[in-house]
Amino acid sequence: MHVAIIMDGNGRWAKERGLPRIEGHRKGAEKAEKVVEWAADLGVNYISLYAFSTENWKRPWDEVRFLFNLFVSFVKRKVQKMKDKGVRIKIMGRREGLPEEVLEVWDWVEKETKNGERMTVVIALNYGGRAEILDAVNKILKDGIEKVDEESFRKYLYIPELPDPDLVIRTSGEMRISNFLLWQIAYSELVFIKKYWPDFEKEDLIYALEEFSKRQRRFGGI
Ligand code: FPP
């Protein structure tokens, strides 16, 4: 079971409390850790978290820098716990443009946690669904390949072995995909939760999983 999450509403959560937006992200990162634990308890073995999109560069530099620093410090602080729990961490996105320190942590955390077998946590960083598809196409052209099918195309995605999400959850009430996992969500169920990400609770995850199990997935069949 692969659950992909668009963790939206950190900024609005902070604003409603008269706090700077970065406080929302700080709370959001803590919530991400909790959700990983809840998801593991509930039998989810893949979880993807949209932490920074290719469009997020448009934000003020202070906020962008804060998000990268948060990624670095969060990963460094949590890696031992994740290893103890059998969690493998994979980072997914475009490396180009990311600060050197972020790239170092990217490689380091993947190496450190590569033996985790209980669950895989994918952190999407400098990720865009269109960018991923274009990067795949350009690699295919570079390899001199003239024709691909779905199976061979998949091998060129950032994490080829990542199964398609069964369920996509987006918080904050917005009903958009915002360029997340475009190729992979072709048949995913979508569940939207009205709460802002920092307010997301275990009961919301349970609700989303129940909603998923109620829906009949036919993959285009009857
Ligand atoms: C969307 O809220 C959230 C983001 C762009 C960043 C998400 C990042 C985290 C939760 C922290 C990093 C996570 C890890 C796993 C290290 P928004 O800022 O768009 O909120 P708004 O729509 O209310 O402004």
Side-chain angles (χ1 to χ4, degrees):
M1 175 88 186
H2 177 188
V3 179
I5 307 187
I6 303 174
M7 309 179 288
D8 194 15
N10 294 343
R12 280 164 285 167
W13 180 91
K15 194 168 174 227
E16 276 188 6
R17 285 160 181 77
L19 298 168
R21 293 177 53 83
I22 58 168
E23 288 307 319
H25 295 315
R26 213 194 298 276
K27 270 270 180 273
E30 282 170 27
K31 189 51 55 105
E33 183 191 5
K34 287 227 173 73
V35 170
V36 167
E37 285 175 15
W38 299 333
D41 290 346
L42 292 163
V44 173
N45 48 359
Y46 285 90
I47 188 162
S48 301
L49 303 167
Y50 204 4
F52 191 86
S53 77
T54 47
E55 288 71 40
N56 286 151
W57 293 100
K58 292 182 202 141
R59 297 184 177 208
W61 175 241
D62 275 355
E63 182 172 341
V64 170
R65 196 175 45 188
F66 181 86
L67 285 168
F68 290 146
N69 288 341
L70 185 63
F71 167 77
V72 166
S73 63
F74 185 83
V75 164
K76 283 187 179 164
R77 240 180 313 126
K78 304 296 176 189
V79 79
Q80 191 55 50
K81 197 170 164 191
M82 293 298 148
K83 275 166 80 169
D84 294 345
K85 286 179 181 277
V87 173
R88 176 173 52 171
I89 298 178
K90 297 280 285 176
I91 315 297
M92 174 176 66
R94 212 177 235 178
R95 293 178 70 93
E96 206 174 279
L98 286 173
E100 197 54 45
E101 193 191 6
V102 169
L103 295 175
E104 280 166 20
V105 169
W106 175 326
D107 295 333
W108 175 76
V109 72
E110 288 192 341
K111 199 163 138 252
E112 281 291 309
T113 63
K114 70 176 193 310
N115 295 323
E117 281 183 355
R118 183 158 171 239
M119 186 188 207
T120 300
V121 176
V122 176
I123 302 176
L125 198 67
N126 197 20
Y127 178 86
R130 288 184 177 177
E132 180 178 32
I133 291 168
L134 290 176
D135 286 352
V137 170
N138 284 316
K139 276 185 262 168
I140 288 164
L141 293 174
K142 217 168 154 196
D143 284 355
I145 292 166
E146 285 180 7
K147 197 163 187 275
V148 284
D149 55 21
E150 288 190 14
E151 206 187 315
S152 53
F153 184 80
R154 188 179 285 277
K155 298 203 174 81
Y156 287 89
L157 294 174
Y158 292 140
I159 306 180
E161 68 277 17
L162 183 69
D164 288 345
D166 300 283
L167 169 66
V168 179
I169 301 173
R170 182 176 188 143
T171 56
S172 96
E174 309 287 351
M175 296 203 238
R176 285 190 295 278
I177 287 301
S178 299
N179 207 10
F180 195 33
L181 297 171
L182 294 184
W183 174 272
Q184 298 89 336
I185 59 159
Y187 292 103
S188 305
E189 294 293 336
L190 311 178
V191 171
F192 299 96
I193 304 282
K194 287 220 171 80
K195 290 179 184 175
Y196 296 142
W197 176 248
D199 290 327
F200 189 84
E201 290 302 334
K202 189 172 186 180
E203 68 204 29
D204 301 308
L205 181 61
I206 293 170
Y207 163 81
L209 290 167
E210 279 173 359
E211 196 49 40
F212 167 79
S213 65
K214 274 191 232 153
R215 296 184 192 172
Q216 290 271 339
R217 303 176 78 206
R218 292 185 294 273
F219 297 98
I222 53 166

